Amino acid sequence: MSLMKISNLYKSFGGLSAVLDFNFHMEQDELVGLIGPNGAGKTTVFNLITGVYKPDQGSIIFKGRDLVGLAPYTICAQGVARTFQNIRLFNDLTVLDNVKIAVHKDVPYGLMSAILRTPHFFKGEDQIEQQAMKYLEIFKLDKKKDELAKNLPYGEQRRLEIVRALATSPQLLILDEPAAGMNPQETQELMELIRLIRDKFNLTILLIEHDMSLVMGVCERLYVLDYGQIIAEGTPQEIRSNKRVIEAYLGEEVE
């Protein structure tokens, strides 16, 4: 059984179809890319998977359970985590606190312990901080744990957002244009980071990205979306030479 299978997914806004008969599957440990021109509906698909939007029709089966109708926090608890096209950190919190918030999903104490500040509460907080620090150390952000998130360089803010998503212990990590705004050196570092994440955490990764060098360099399989519909699926080599994909990106020749 596929880790995720999406069938006949539809979503419209004001009569305009943003996603139309979308069918998709991912196997365990795959690294799959979803690409397409601006306005093709890629981020809408991500928002449907993570519960930000509810589809008009279709199913999103993850580990045998339909995610349609579930709240975003419930979908996160099921093992799906995401980053955003526009970085959404808690800018006025420290680097460490941004990650601790994600770890609190598995908080080891109850409400009364938190209110009464019992020894169990402080022990739990210590465990959460230690776990958050492990993630920061892996991604070389531990020395900046006390800095405000908004003061980090752009590339490190992107990395922190990925770290925060990983701290929820997902099985499927969804990255929405993680290379947006990055220079070539930062993009190369991101490519290496994505490979590290997949290998170290045994994750399945779904990636939206406009940077073709990144997509072709890390993805094993690609789906191409145009006007809300899948127009091609295959390996990077197959997609690179696909006539329909070339037309979608560059337009058709006028006779």
Side-chain angles (χ1 to χ4, degrees):
M1 184 174 63
S2 299
L3 179 69
M4 173 172 282
K5 184 175 182 180
I6 300 175
S7 302
N8 309 118
L9 203 64
Y10 286 82
K11 180 63 182 177
S12 63
F13 298 96
L16 178 65
S17 295
V19 175
L20 181 62
D21 196 23
F22 181 87
N23 293 279
F24 169 97
H25 70 91
M26 287 189 75
E27 307 303 322
Q28 186 75 40
D29 298 329
E30 269 197 306
L31 208 167
V32 175
L34 179 63
I35 64 173
N38 284 330
K42 302 182 299 296
T43 296
T44 300
V45 169
F46 273 22
N47 287 335
L48 290 168
I49 293 173
T50 55
V52 177
Y53 299 150
K54 184 177 180 180
D56 301 323
Q57 183 180 322
S59 62
I60 305 170
I61 307 299
F62 179 69
K63 297 189 300 183
R65 180 179 181 183
D66 197 345
L67 301 182
V68 172
L70 300 182
Y73 61 83
T74 304
I75 293 173
C76 179
Q78 291 295 311
V80 180
R82 70 169 293 180
T83 64
F84 292 85
Q85 185 174 341
N86 300 313
I87 297 173
R88 297 187 185 179
L89 295 172
F90 298 103
N91 286 322
D92 292 316
L93 295 181
T94 66
V95 168
L96 177 59
D97 283 340
N98 266 271
V99 181
K100 284 175 67 177
I101 285 172
V103 179
H104 266 86
K105 177 179 74 72
D106 301 314
V107 65
Y109 53 79
L111 177 62
M112 289 307 298
S113 290
I115 293 173
L116 299 174
R117 291 295 197 267
T118 65
H120 187 54
F121 163 78
F122 288 107
K123 182 180 179 180
E125 282 295 300
D126 286 342
Q127 291 174 357
I128 287 169
E129 182 162 332
Q130 289 172 19
Q131 190 172 343
M133 284 301 300
K134 287 180 181 177
Y135 283 103
L136 292 177
E137 288 166 6
I138 291 170
F139 296 98
K140 300 177 181 178
L141 288 170
D142 51 309
K143 293 181 180 178
K144 298 193 174 183
K145 66 182 181 70
D146 295 320
E147 288 192 31
L148 295 182
K150 65 183 179 183
N151 293 336
L152 293 179
Y154 185 84
E156 290 186 349
Q157 288 189 23
R158 280 284 180 194
R159 200 188 320 165
L160 177 58
E161 189 178 37
I162 293 172
V163 172
R164 186 180 60 183
L166 286 172
T168 65
S169 303
Q171 290 177 267
L172 171 62
L173 177 63
I174 301 178
L175 303 175
D176 191 350
E177 295 198 29
M182 288 187 172
N183 60 42
Q185 181 180 344
E186 289 171 332
T187 300
Q188 181 61 40
E189 292 172 354
L190 176 64
M191 191 181 301
E192 295 168 3
L193 178 64
I194 291 172
R195 291 195 186 105
L196 169 68
I197 290 168
R198 205 272 293 271
D199 295 340
K200 188 173 184 65
F201 294 94
N202 297 317
L203 281 175
T204 305
I205 298 176
L206 175 58
L207 171 70
I208 285 179
E209 187 50 67
H210 281 296
D211 190 311
M212 288 298 103
S213 64
L214 174 62
V215 170
M216 297 295 177
V218 301
C219 291
E220 299 153 347
R221 193 160 56 88
L222 296 171
Y223 285 88
V224 185
L225 195 65
D226 191 32
Y227 293 106
Q229 289 184 298
I230 296 293
I231 61 170
E233 174 195 353
T235 65
Q237 292 75 20
E238 292 168 339
I239 295 300
R240 189 182 284 116
S241 58
N242 186 291
K243 184 180 178 182
R244 290 193 68 189
V245 175
I246 294 170
E247 289 174 353
Y249 273 97
L250 302 179
E252 299 182 63
E253 183 178 355
V254 177
E255 297 183 0

